[in-house]
Amino acid sequence: MYKPQRLHPFAIFEFIVRKGYSLAQALLPLLIIAIAREEFRQWLFLVIPVFLVLFVAYTIMYWLRYVFYISGQELRVEYGVLVRKKRYIPFERIQTVQMSAGVLQRLLGLVKVQIETAGGGSKAEFVLDALAREKAEELQRTLQSGGKQIAETADEKEYIEYKLPTRSLLLLATTSNSIGVVLSGMFVVASQLDDFFSELDVWGKVGAYAQHLASGKISHIIFTVFLLFLLAWLLSLLGTIIQFGGFKLRREAGNINISRGVFQKQQVRIPLSRIQAVKVVESLLRQPLGMVSIQIVSISNTGTKGEGNVLFPLLPKSDLAAFLEKIAPEFIMPGEVQGLPSKSRRRYLLINIIPALIIAILCVIYLPWGYIAFILPLLGALLGNRQYLDAGYQVMEDKILLRSRCLGRVTMIIPRRRIQSLHVSQNPLQARNHLSNLLVAVASCNTGITFKLKGMDKQKCGDIVNYFTGGEGAASHSP
């Protein structure tokens, strides 16, 4: 590991696919122009084969000159054909080392290694596309142990393991809240069809059908919406099973190892010292079933796509305390959550009722069946009241808990030493009622993560800020 090493030859294929895709995107406009003009078209049969041969030869040279090794307390990478480049990454900057393997890589016993650092941006600092699994695991241990070759002891062999049962996986997929994302993706795909198949006139037909529905029977509208959501739900179900199939969490000494995925197996190793906060999410569908999802906030970019930050995807709420005690005891919060003052309730009600009332009025004006939309203000009132009842906080000597609800209920547990800043704000209406908003910021991969609780008692909000900051300038107040 301390001598310069190359990647597995399979990396050549990875380079060709990745760089070829980038080149295709860049050269596609020129290729279209050349095909459209007859005087250039005949040259394509000569240029394209020569270009492909040169491209493959360049990629092989790139692989031959791509080496990595460890020197002192640094991971070093050297690469480049015409221009030689070198990158040095000190061990102390490395946050997580994530491994993943697609179908072909798993057949060959290979993995992709992504090394993430503090301040590394939204992508990994660098990626090793194809390494033998044994070599990748050795590299992972070396990087996250600070370069020390630590002998495995009896204590280190002990571990705590949680697996996601098949029944829980199906429940996770069934109650997934990614239907909105799937619907957005379906509309994006439909919008692109017009660019490639303009004769289909997709959006014109969709608009005509929507206009026909709006002037037709309400039963037709309900049936169409039901079919659309059913298709989105089925796609979401399939995506969740592929993403979280085979989920396994293992706590070993000071690290958490997570593996998941059906086709592309992903593995990530997260040091407990890198976890900034724990987020407990109870969605609308899962809360009545007594199930929660546990996520983490880390200073690596593991969770920038909203998936790598999952500590455990679905767990009975009754098992939450025992789970945290075994896996992350620093984040246990015993006791009851303190609610907001009664004068905060009006704000939560109005902020949901007013937009719903405006939408209902517009539906009555422009739609023949719009009177049905007057159920929206009632639903807004119910949601606002639920948001008020669920909002609250709890303060202990070494941590703070904040709870709120948009649609699902979210509980954030933040240790005192992980708090980056506290910010108190107050609008004129809140000033009259002696209320404030508390915003807590913790470190993350880019600018940080913030969590806000609205409508707290002004005095108690100030006491919390003074307690956690010791009266120093880490907290800010804005009227």
Side-chain angles (χ1 to χ4, degrees), residues 258 328 376 473:
I258 296 174
L376 294 177

Side-chain angles (χ1 to χ4, degrees), residues 416 462-475 477:
R416 179 175 183 169
D463 292 342
I464 291 173
V465 172
N466 289 331
Y467 174 71
F468 279 101
T469 61
E472 298 177 358
H477 302 259

Side-chain angles (χ1 to χ4, degrees), residues 122-406:
S122 60
K123 297 182 179 180
E125 184 77 10
F126 82 68
V127 177
L128 301 175
D129 289 279
L131 278 182
R133 179 173 292 276
E134 296 78 9
K135 187 181 294 185
E137 291 175 349
E138 180 188 352
L139 177 63
Q140 183 185 58
R141 288 193 298 269
T142 302
L143 295 178
Q144 295 197 321
S145 65
K148 301 176 182 177
Q149 298 295 330
I150 302 175
E152 190 177 45
T153 64
D155 291 337
E156 290 171 336
K157 291 181 181 179
E158 297 180 359
Y159 62 87
I160 301 169
E161 186 174 273
Y162 280 84
K163 294 182 179 180
L164 185 66
T166 303
R167 181 179 178 182
S168 296
L169 175 62
L170 294 176
L171 182 60
L172 172 71
T174 304
T175 58
S176 173
N177 58 357
S178 58
I179 292 179
V181 178
V182 174
L183 284 173
S184 301
M186 291 168 62
F187 282 116
V188 169
V189 172
S191 67
Q192 297 301 314
L193 289 177
D194 274 339
D195 296 336
F196 294 96
F197 307 100
S198 56
E199 66 278 1
L200 294 179
D201 190 22
V202 175
W203 280 113
K205 293 178 181 178
V206 170
Y209 184 68
Q211 187 176 5
H212 172 72
L213 280 178
S215 59
K217 295 181 179 180
I218 186 65
S219 58
H220 293 166
I221 298 175
I222 294 174
F223 180 71
T224 302
V225 172
F226 171 77
L227 287 180
L228 185 63
F229 273 87
L230 178 62
L231 177 60
W233 178 76
L234 290 174
L235 292 174
S236 173
L237 181 77
L238 180 62
T240 303
I241 291 175
I242 292 173
Q243 179 181 343
F244 288 104
F247 188 98
K248 182 172 66 174
L249 179 149
R250 176 180 289 194
R251 158 78 188 271
E252 295 176 325
N255 297 300
I256 294 176
N257 299 315
I258 296 174
S259 62
R260 62 174 177 83
V262 175
F263 298 118
Q264 181 169 351
K265 197 73 173 178
Q266 296 190 349
Q267 294 177 287
V268 60
R269 185 182 181 96
I270 306 172
L272 283 169
S273 59
R274 306 298 188 187
I275 299 177
Q276 305 298 295
V278 165
K279 182 190 294 186
V280 181
V281 181
E282 303 170 74
S283 68
L284 283 176
L285 296 177
R286 293 170 187 165
Q287 188 175 356
L289 302 174
M291 307 297 288
V292 300
S293 173
I294 308 170
Q295 303 175 6
I296 60 171
V297 176
S298 172
I299 52 179
S300 72
N301 55 46
T302 302
T304 52
K305 295 182 179 180
E307 51 195 31
N309 61 348
V310 175
L311 184 62
F312 204 78
L314 197 67
L315 188 76
K317 190 176 181 181
S318 57
D319 296 341
L320 177 61
F323 175 86
L324 290 177
E325 185 176 4
K326 293 178 180 179
I327 302 300
E330 183 182 7
F331 298 92
I332 295 176
M333 287 292 293
E336 295 294 327
V337 174
Q338 184 172 346
L340 301 179
S342 57
K343 47 192 174 182
S344 296
R345 187 192 298 265
R346 182 174 63 180
R347 180 260 175 201
Y348 282 92
L349 291 173
L350 293 178
I351 202 169
N352 287 281
I353 292 175
I354 292 176
L357 186 61
I358 294 173
I359 293 173
I361 294 173
L362 292 175
C363 287
V364 169
I365 295 174
Y366 293 105
L367 298 175
W369 43 267
Y371 62 90
I372 298 177
F374 272 106
I375 196 175
L376 294 177
L378 176 59
L379 295 176
L382 293 174
L383 177 60
N385 188 62
R386 191 71 257 174
Q387 288 176 343
Y388 164 75
L389 294 174
D390 285 336
Y393 62 94
Q394 181 188 353
V395 178
M396 293 185 66
E397 183 178 352
D398 59 342
K399 61 180 75 75
I400 183 172
L401 177 150
L402 300 176
R403 176 177 291 168
S404 68
R405 175 188 291 275
C406 181

